[in-house]
């Protein structure tokens, strides 16, 4: 398994998603969302979901899934994943997606913060959920090949993700205690970020 195995979609929505992610994310968060897409594609190949997944939808959702924590898109009442999902609706509308598919982008982004997503119900939501769980909490850290993990982390290093994302989610949890950010913080996400084995994988 190599990065070259997974083609970045070359569509209007995919190009716009990368442009928006690049413009509004810090380097740490930009690398995180791109790693999340690659982990999702890796899990899709590993779990036999590649033929079922809408790869453009998965890519766009992965690139936009954390936009709700950046100041320009931070909503004062909505959960950050819900806010990011609405950005995805607007972006994909501009790219000509049909309404139902725009809604799917919102659903995939919201569901990435669920504790678990059934792949039979939502293949893309499941893939983004387990991909982000790997990148944030280290869940299933050994499920993808070691050399693939090292290649992805070399091309898209973690930088200051642990400190930066941990602070952002803590802020969201304090200001919006009824959202999933509170559950993540109460579940120890800041510790999990620091202890994520991906933080040390390039040391060996």
């Amino acid at each position: 398994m190599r990065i070259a195995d997974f083609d970045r979609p070359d569509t209007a929505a995919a190009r716009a998603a990368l442009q928006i992610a690049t413009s509004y994310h810090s380097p740490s968060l930009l690398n995180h969302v791109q790693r999340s897409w690659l982990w999702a594609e890796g899990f899709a190949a590993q779990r036999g979901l590649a033929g079922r997944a809408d790869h453009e939808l998965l890519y766009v959702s992965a690139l936009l899934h954390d936009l709700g924590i950046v100041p320009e898109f931070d909503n004062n009442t909505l959960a950050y994943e819900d806010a990011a999902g609405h950005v995805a609706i607007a972006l994909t509308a501009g790219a000509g997606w049909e309404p139902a598919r725009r809604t799917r982008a919102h659903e995939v982004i919201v569901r990435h913060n669920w504790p678990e997503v059934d792949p039979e119900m939502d293949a893309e939501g499941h893939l983004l959920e387990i991909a982000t769980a790997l990148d944030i909490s280290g869940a299933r850290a050994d499920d993808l090949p070691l050399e693939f993990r090292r290649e992805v982390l070399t091309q898209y290093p973690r930088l200051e993700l642990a400190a930066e994302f941990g602070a952002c989610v803590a802020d969201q949890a304090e200001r919006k205690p009824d959202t999933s950010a509170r559950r993540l913080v109460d579940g120890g996400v800041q510790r999990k970020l620091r202890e994520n084995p991906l933080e040390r994988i390039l040391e060996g």
Side-chain angles (χ1 to χ4, degrees):
M1 187 180 290
R2 302 296 303 273
I3 291 176
D5 295 339
F6 307 115
D7 293 329
R8 189 186 299 270
D10 186 19
T11 65
R15 292 190 295 271
L18 180 58
Q19 290 170 3
I20 293 296
T22 302
S23 296
Y24 289 97
H25 283 319
S26 69
S28 296
L29 284 172
L30 180 60
N31 283 0
H32 161 63
V33 300
Q34 294 188 94
R35 284 194 310 272
S36 296
W37 167 63
L38 286 165
W39 303 143
E41 289 289 1
F43 282 125
Q46 179 203 57
R47 298 182 173 211
L49 294 172
R52 288 179 45 198
D54 179 332
H55 294 276
E56 181 190 22
L57 170 64
L58 182 60
Y59 179 82
V60 169
S61 300
L63 269 287
L64 302 180
H65 79 268
D66 275 339
L67 272 181
I69 64 174
V70 305
E72 293 86 351
F73 298 108
D74 186 2
N75 186 290
N76 68 334
T77 57
L78 294 180
Y80 72 87
E81 66 274 19
D82 194 4
H86 287 290
V87 176
I89 289 175
L91 182 147
T92 55
W97 286 20
E98 294 297 322
R101 197 157 178 247
R102 295 176 221 159
T103 299
R104 286 289 299 124
H106 181 272
E107 289 173 345
V108 170
I109 291 173
V110 167
R111 291 170 183 170
H112 96 271
N113 260 355
W114 285 12
E116 185 176 1
V117 180
D118 184 349
E120 295 302 316
M121 177 191 73
D122 183 350
E124 297 81 13
H126 168 75
L127 291 168
L128 189 57
E129 177 256 312
I130 61 175
T132 55
L134 167 59
D135 208 62
I136 296 298
S137 301
R140 306 172 188 86
D142 295 326
D143 284 9
L144 297 176
L146 177 59
E147 288 308 310
F148 178 63
R149 283 177 276 149
R150 284 178 170 161
E151 182 189 14
V152 171
L153 289 162
T154 298
Q155 183 158 334
Y156 301 104
R158 294 179 71 77
L159 304 177
E160 302 303 319
L161 179 70
E164 186 178 333
F165 187 80
C168 287
V169 175
D171 174 66
Q172 292 277 324
E174 182 176 353
R175 291 188 291 112
K176 294 178 271 189
D178 295 328
T179 67
S180 61
R182 180 79 265 163
R183 174 179 56 80
L184 293 174
V185 170
D186 290 346
V189 69
Q190 291 158 307
R191 173 186 55 78
K192 291 174 182 177
L193 278 158
R194 293 191 303 269
E195 297 177 358
N196 191 326
L198 297 179
E199 290 285 337
R200 292 166 292 282
I201 199 170
L202 298 180
E203 296 175 0

